[in-house]
Amino acid sequence: MAEPIYTVASDSETTGEEKTTSTFPEIAVGIDIGTSQCSIAVWNGSQVELLKNTRNQKIMRSYVTFKDETPSGGVSNELSHEYDMLSGAAIFNMKRLIGRVDTDPVVRASKSLPFLVQTLDIGVRPFVAALVNNVWRSTTPEEVLAIFIVELKVMAEYQLKRPIRNVVLTIPVSFSRFQLTRVERACAMAGLQVRLMPEPTAVALLYAQQQQQAVHEGMGSGSEKIALIFNMGAGYCDVAVSAVGGGVSQIRALAGSPIGGEDLLQNTMKYLLPNSESIFSHRGIDEIRRMGLLRVVTQDAIHKLSYQSSVQIDVNLGNGSKLRKVLSREEFEMVNSKVFEKCENLIKQCLHDARVGTEDLSDVVVVGGCSYIPKIRNLLMEISKKKALHEGIDPLEAAVSGAALEGAIASGIGDPFGSLDLLSIQVTPLAIGIRADGNSFIPIIPKNTTMPARKELVFTTVQDNQSEALIVVYEGEETRAEENHLLGYFKIIGIPPAPKGIPEITICMDIDSSNMLRVLAWATLPGGQHPATPYMEVKMPTVDDGHGWCAEALHGKYGATMELVTLRKKG
Amino acid sequence: MQCSDFTFSGSDSRFYIPSNPKITGRRPISGRRSLVFFPNAPPCNSTRSPSISIRAKAALNEGIVSSEVAEGSFYDLLGISQSGSLEEIKRAYKQLARKFHPDVSPPGRAEEYTKRFIRVQEAYETLSDPRRRALYDRDMVGGLQVAFSARRRYDADEEVPGRSGWKNCWQAQISELKRRSMDKDSRQNMSWGARMRRQMNEQV
C-alpha cells in the first residue's frame, strides 16, 4: 500500500512539523464569484469548509475600489460605510458585464450603476471606469474579476499554508462559451487553472452528497431522486433538474437567464423615483452620490420586504428632493411581475426539457440571495405542487460548497466515510450549431446533451460548382442565427465541382472531457471514397471580444455564395 | 436469408449491431435472446437499392462510437438482463458512469474513458426511453434485420466497404491529428481531474 498522500494539517502553527505543508496534496478550492457577493471553500479532509477573511466573514462583497494606484477588493478591504461604495470609485456587478457587448440589454441596464458604463451601441465591449481623484480611470470586467480571485487566493494560501493552483469556479447557466473564455482569462490573470461549473449543478452535487450520506446513515432509500434546483442571485437566475442516486448527480436539464436581484432593485428604484433616469443621466459627482443613496435605500427596503409586509422609505436625495413613501410587498411584486414571470417560465421550461412532471419531483432546492423573497418561494411551491421546499442547504453557501466538493473529487482524494464517492454528470447549457438554410441556426449538439459528446450533421451546397463554404458557429437557442452567440467561423475550401445539393459537407462537433469544443468539417461527393479536402479541425471559440458584427460583415461581403443548407430527403 | 454477402461495418451507426460476430455466423447464441430468425427481413435488393434519400437520415446520425469498445448489446454493456427494470437501468448507468466518466479517469486515459462513457451514455439513453427501448428490442429480436433497420435509419450507404473505407481513413487521420496535438502538449489527453491528480503525484 502506498503511503496516504493526504494528511490533515494541524490547527496550531507552533509545531516544527509544519514541513508537511510543502507536500500538502493539491486539492482544488471552490470559488463562487457572484454579482454582489463572493466566497471560497475547500475540502478540509472531512467536510467542506468556507474560509473566512480577517473580518470573520465567509461571504464577502464583490466590489473593487480604485482609490490609489492599487485597486483593492471587498475580500481584504473594508468600506468605512456602505455609501463609500457609491462614490464612483467602487466597481461592482462585473459578473453581469463580463463578455458582453454594448448592444446587450444587460449592459444598457448597467448604465444606472454609480460608476461609468459607457456604450457606443455598435457591438463592442463597453467602456467601464471608476472615478479616482476626479479622473475616470478605465478598467475591465476581467480585471475586476481577477482582483477578486487574487484576493481570495491569497487569503486561502495564507490560511491553508500552501499554494493554490487549481480552482473550480461557478458560473451562470446562461454564460456563452465566449463569456467562459473571459472568465478563464480572469483566472489566468490570477495564475489559476480553472474548471468552470454551472452554479445549480454545484448545488446539485451538494444535494447528491447529502442524499448519499442519508443512505449511509440508513435514513435514505437509495433510490433515484429527482431534484429541482433554483438558484437566483443578484445577476442571474439558473434552474437545473438533476436525477440523483448512488452518489451521482446526473443533470437532466438546465435553464438560465441574466435576471436577478439587480433587476428587482432597478425596477423598484424606477418605481420609487420615476424620473430617476433623466435625473442621473448627467453623471456628475453629485448625481452619482444621489443615485447611490437611492440604491442603498431601495436595497434595504427590498430586504425588509422579505420579512414584513410594508416598509417606510424616507431619504433626502439632496438638491431639495426628498423621497418619503410606504412601499408594500404587493407593490414590490407588482412592479417586478415581469421578472417573476420570467422565473416561472425558466422553471417550467427546465422541467419540460428534463421530461419531468411535478409528481416525479422529490425535492425543490432554492438557493441564492433571492431565495428569501416570499414571492419566489411561493412560485416554486406552486409550480412543483409542494407544500414545503427542501431544507438543510444553506442558500448562500450551496454553490461554493458544491464547487469545493467537485474540486476534491477531481483531485482524486479518497474519503474513508465515502463522502467523496460522488460524480457530477453535466449537460450542455446551450445548443451549438452553425448558420445554414439561409439565416437559420441549425443546432448540431442540442441543448441538454450529456458531456462529453460528439455529434455530426451533413450539409450541402446552394450553388452549382460551389467550391467554398463558410462555417459560422453559434451557440444559443434562437432560430435566427444572428440572435445567438457567435463563437467563430472558418471556410471549407476545395469542394469538388458538382451541381448544388450534391456535395456532402459533414460538420462534426466534439466536446471533450475538459469541455473543449472542436469543430471538424470535411467535404465528400456521394460515393466518393475519400474526402475531397483535408479535414478541418477548429477549436472554438475563435472570436475575440464578441464582435457580433463579424458575422454581419461576412454575410455582407459574401452573400449566398458560400452558404450551406441541411441535406434533405429527395422526392 | 440471402444476405450472407452483406458486410457490416456497424461501428459507425448509432445503433451499432449487437453481437455483430454472432450475426455474421447467422446464429444467435445468447440464451436470453429470442431465437426468432429475421422474421421481417425484407429482400436484400430493396434494402440495398441505391437511394440518396437515405442520406438525409444519415444526417441525423448522432455520435461516432469507436468499434474497439463495441461489444455485445446495450444490455450487455450495462450488465443487466433484457427484462431489466427502469430502476435497474438507472442504477447500472450510474455505477458505470462512476467508473468510466473521464472526470475519474486515470492520467493519460481520458480519451479512452470518454469513448467508453459516450457508449454507456448511448446505451442508457436508448434503454431508459420506453419508445427507443421497444425499437431497440424489436431490432434485436429481428436479428439480422437490425443491421438493415439500423443502417436505414441512421447510416445508410449502399457502398458499405467504400464507406467504411473512408471512415477508417478518416479515423486514422483524426487519430493522427490527436497524436500530433498530444505530442505538442500531452496534457490535452488528460481530463482536468487527471491533470490535477498528476500534479499532485508529482508534488508528493
Side-chain angles (χ1 to χ4, degrees):
Chain A
M1 283 293 285
E3 285 280 308
I5 44 174
Y6 184 75
T7 24
V8 183
S10 103
D11 277 339
S12 78
E13 296 173 40
T14 50
T15 60
E17 306 261 4
E18 289 297 312
K19 289 266 185 199
T20 50
T21 53
S22 63
T23 57
F24 202 98
E26 172 98 40
I27 303 178
V29 297
I31 293 185
D32 175 25
I33 302 228
T35 305
S36 80
Q37 292 176 320
C38 56
S39 49
I40 182 167
V42 66
W43 177 257
N44 71 5
S46 57
Q47 60 185 27
V48 168
E49 183 186 342
L50 268 75
L51 302 179
K52 293 175 181 171
N53 66 6
T54 50
R55 280 162 289 140
N56 213 27
Q57 295 169 318
K58 288 194 283 189
I59 309 287
M60 294 148 266
R61 300 286 297 271
S62 299
Y63 65 86
V64 167
T65 36
F66 291 82
K67 270 190 179 148
D68 311 302
E69 280 307 299
T70 45
S72 61
V75 176
S76 61
N77 176 39
E78 185 168 22
L79 293 171
S80 54
H81 195 275
E82 179 76 355
Y83 297 116
D84 274 9
M85 221 174 129
L86 312 162
S87 62
I91 301 272
F92 51 94
N93 274 20
M94 283 303 106
K95 198 179 179 183
R96 287 262 272 197
L97 294 183
I98 194 158
R100 287 186 199 279
V101 292
D102 61 0
T103 44
D104 191 316
V106 177
V107 173
R108 291 213 195 115
S110 301
K111 291 175 81 169
S112 72
L113 296 172
F115 49 85
L116 194 62
V117 179
Q118 209 176 64
T119 59
L120 294 166
D121 300 323
I122 58 161
V124 292
R125 61 156 59 199
F127 178 78
V128 179
L131 193 60
V132 191
N133 302 325
N134 214 25
V135 174
W136 285 115
R137 184 194 178 282
S138 78
T139 183
T140 59
E142 289 87 340
E143 186 184 33
V144 173
L145 240 59
I147 292 168
F148 298 148
I149 297 169
V150 166
E151 290 200 340
L152 289 168
K153 179 183 169 211
V154 168
M155 183 183 113
E157 285 178 340
Y158 179 76
Q159 290 181 28
L160 302 175
K161 300 179 190 68
R162 64 172 170 101
I164 306 281
R165 291 185 299 181
N166 296 299
V167 57
V168 177
L169 189 77
T170 58
I171 42 149
V173 166
S174 57
F175 264 22
S176 72
R177 281 177 177 267
F178 174 73
Q179 284 176 297
L180 300 189
T181 64
R182 303 298 101 166
V183 175
E184 281 161 356
R185 181 174 290 185
C187 289
M189 284 160 97
L192 288 171
Q193 282 247 20
V194 68
R195 154 171 282 201
L196 301 173
M197 189 179 197
E199 277 153 40
T201 71
V203 180
L205 185 61
L206 184 67
Y207 174 82
Q209 191 209 27
Q210 289 190 351
Q211 294 304 314
Q212 189 74 337
Q213 256 162 357
V215 173
H216 287 169
E217 286 157 18
M219 282 153 66
S221 65
S223 62
E224 186 180 77
K225 285 189 164 186
I226 309 279
L228 171 71
I229 316 277
F230 181 89
N231 173 34
M232 188 171 176
Y236 294 88
C237 177
D238 292 333
V239 192
V241 171
S242 182
V244 173
V248 176
S249 158
Q250 179 203 357
I251 302 297
R252 296 271 290 265
L254 291 173
S257 171
I259 50 163
E262 180 64 30
D263 298 286
L264 301 175
L265 178 61
Q266 290 196 10
N267 291 340
T268 314
M269 276 165 70
K270 268 181 217 151
Y271 175 72
L272 291 173
L273 201 66
N275 55 350
S276 59
E277 261 172 64
S278 61
I279 294 175
F280 299 139
S281 64
H282 212 60
R283 302 224 149 224
I285 295 178
D286 241 22
E287 284 152 351
I288 287 176
R289 209 187 70 83
R290 284 159 64 197
M291 183 159 46
L293 270 177
L294 180 64
R295 199 180 164 84
V296 172
V297 168
T298 312
Q299 203 162 355
D300 188 46
I302 293 174
H303 288 165
K304 283 184 179 151
L305 284 178
S306 289
Y307 305 98
Q308 55 199 58
S309 56
S310 70
V311 62
Q312 169 76 46
I313 293 167
D314 196 346
V315 60
N316 186 349
L317 292 171
N319 260 4
S321 74
K322 280 187 182 167
L323 180 65
R324 290 195 73 166
K325 193 177 168 13
V326 174
L327 182 69
S328 72
R329 192 184 280 174
E330 286 72 36
E331 281 173 284
F332 168 73
E333 289 174 3
M334 187 258 304
V335 168
N336 289 299
S337 59
K338 284 231 169 78
V339 175
F340 296 126
E341 207 176 289
K342 178 83 193 168
C343 294
E344 191 177 338
N345 291 343
L346 282 177
I347 300 164
K348 286 181 173 166
Q349 184 202 326
C350 197
L351 287 170
H352 173 265
D353 291 351
R355 281 175 283 162
V356 161
T358 51
E359 67 281 0
D360 304 321
L361 282 178
S362 307
D363 280 308
V364 179
V365 183
V366 190
V367 297
C370 291
S371 63
Y372 298 102
I373 297 171
K375 176 76 185 171
I376 295 282
R377 302 183 74 83
N378 292 337
L379 199 66
L380 277 148
M381 286 192 277
E382 261 171 52
I383 297 173
S384 64
K385 301 198 181 83
K386 290 240 177 302
K387 289 198 177 70
L389 303 171
H390 180 72
E391 285 179 21
I393 286 185
D394 186 304
L396 299 181
E397 299 179 3
V400 75
S401 303
L405 275 181
E406 177 83 351
I409 297 159
S411 307
I413 304 295
D415 178 69
F417 302 105
S419 304
L420 290 176
D421 290 343
L422 302 167
L423 177 68
S424 175
I425 302 174
Q426 301 279 343
V427 298
T428 48
L430 297 165
I432 307 163
I434 67 165
R435 179 182 183 275
D437 297 351
N439 196 28
S440 297
F441 170 63
I442 309 294
I444 292 174
I445 297 186
K447 181 184 157 98
N448 295 323
T449 299
T450 298
M451 296 190 287
R454 186 179 186 130
K455 309 254 170 190
E456 62 181 66
L457 211 59
V458 183
F459 296 85
T460 189
T461 50
V462 293
Q463 313 278 347
D464 290 338
N465 299 321
Q466 182 178 334
S467 64
E468 302 186 337
L470 203 54
I471 314 295
V472 189
V473 180
Y474 287 96
E475 184 183 34
E477 292 163 67
E478 306 298 328
T479 44
R480 289 163 61 86
E482 77 269 15
E483 285 167 11
N484 297 287
H485 305 283
L486 177 70
L487 294 184
Y489 39 85
F490 61 94
K491 201 164 78 167
I492 288 200
I493 51 171
I495 300 169
K500 65 182 174 190
I502 295 299
E504 293 176 8
I505 292 133
T506 308
I507 309 293
C508 172
M509 293 194 172
D510 179 286
I511 300 175
D512 72 7
S513 56
S514 47
N515 197 23
M516 159 93 70
L517 171 67
R518 284 186 182 84
V519 179
L520 298 109
W522 64 91
T524 44
L525 283 181
Q529 297 221 346
H530 299 283
T533 56
Y535 306 90
M536 309 273 302
E537 190 194 58
V538 186
K539 280 184 199 166
M540 290 283 162
T542 60
V543 284
D544 200 26
D545 275 331
H547 284 156
W549 41 261
C550 287
E552 223 171 283
L554 285 169
H555 184 61
K557 186 161 171 74
Y558 298 104
T561 57
M562 287 209 277
E563 288 199 344
L564 287 178
V565 289
T566 39
L567 196 52
R568 288 195 201 291
K569 197 171 178 164
K570 280 186 184 173
Chain B
M1 296 301 191
Q2 317 291 317
C3 304
S4 53
D5 60 329
F6 205 102
T7 22
F8 303 99
S9 72
S11 62
D12 53 354
S13 79
R14 174 99 179 91
F15 279 56
Y16 81 97
I17 302 141
S19 323
N20 206 351
K22 294 169 194 165
I23 289 170
T24 37
R26 285 188 286 160
R27 198 156 43 89
I29 293 159
S30 163
R32 286 206 297 275
R33 223 160 279 150
S34 159
L35 293 172
V36 182
F37 274 72
F38 338 123
N40 306 314
C44 289
N45 307 352
S46 71
T47 344
R48 296 191 63 191
S49 67
S51 162
I52 299 164
S53 69
I54 287 160
R55 250 170 242 127
K57 297 230 170 146
L60 292 171
N61 180 14
E62 303 172 80
I64 297 162
V65 173
S66 159
S67 57
E68 61 207 76
V69 283
E71 298 161 2
S73 71
F74 284 163
Y75 292 100
D76 297 338
L77 190 67
L78 293 185
I80 53 167
S81 76
Q82 216 184 315
S83 57
S85 69
L86 187 59
E87 194 63 33
E88 282 177 278
I89 291 168
K90 286 177 176 175
R91 203 174 305 132
Y93 164 70
K94 290 203 162 120
Q95 269 169 7
L96 289 170
R98 287 264 303 271
K99 208 163 150 191
F100 292 131
H101 194 283
D103 275 5
V104 293
S105 69
R109 293 178 70 186
E111 203 181 311
E112 176 196 337
Y113 272 57
T114 298
K115 276 181 193 159
R116 282 171 172 238
F117 176 73
I118 288 178
R119 278 196 44 68
V120 168
Q121 181 68 29
E122 196 182 342
Y124 163 78
E125 281 178 13
T126 305
L127 299 186
S128 65
D129 178 331
R131 195 184 53 84
R132 286 172 68 181
R133 183 178 179 181
L135 211 62
Y136 179 78
D137 287 349
R138 204 195 63 194
D139 287 350
M140 264 182 57
V141 170
L144 183 54
Q145 199 219 337
V146 71
F148 288 118
S149 46
R151 296 198 70 78
R152 202 165 51 229
R153 230 175 283 130
Y154 297 102
D155 186 17
D157 194 318
E158 62 282 7
E159 287 184 83
V160 176
R163 175 121 178 143
S164 58
W166 75 253
K167 199 85 171 187
N168 289 342
C169 158
W170 171 73
Q171 273 164 346
Q173 189 150 356
I174 294 295
S175 36
E176 172 64 14
L177 275 172
K178 282 193 177 135
R179 192 189 59 74
R180 263 184 279 158
S181 63
M182 242 163 66
D183 287 347
K184 243 180 281 158
D185 179 7
S186 63
R187 290 176 158 226
Q188 287 193 349
N189 186 31
M190 296 172 87
S191 71
W192 185 83
R195 198 158 60 225
M196 290 213 352
R197 287 192 290 276
R198 189 177 73 169
Q199 268 182 20
M200 202 172 79
N201 291 335
E202 281 168 359
Q203 208 174 21
V204 173

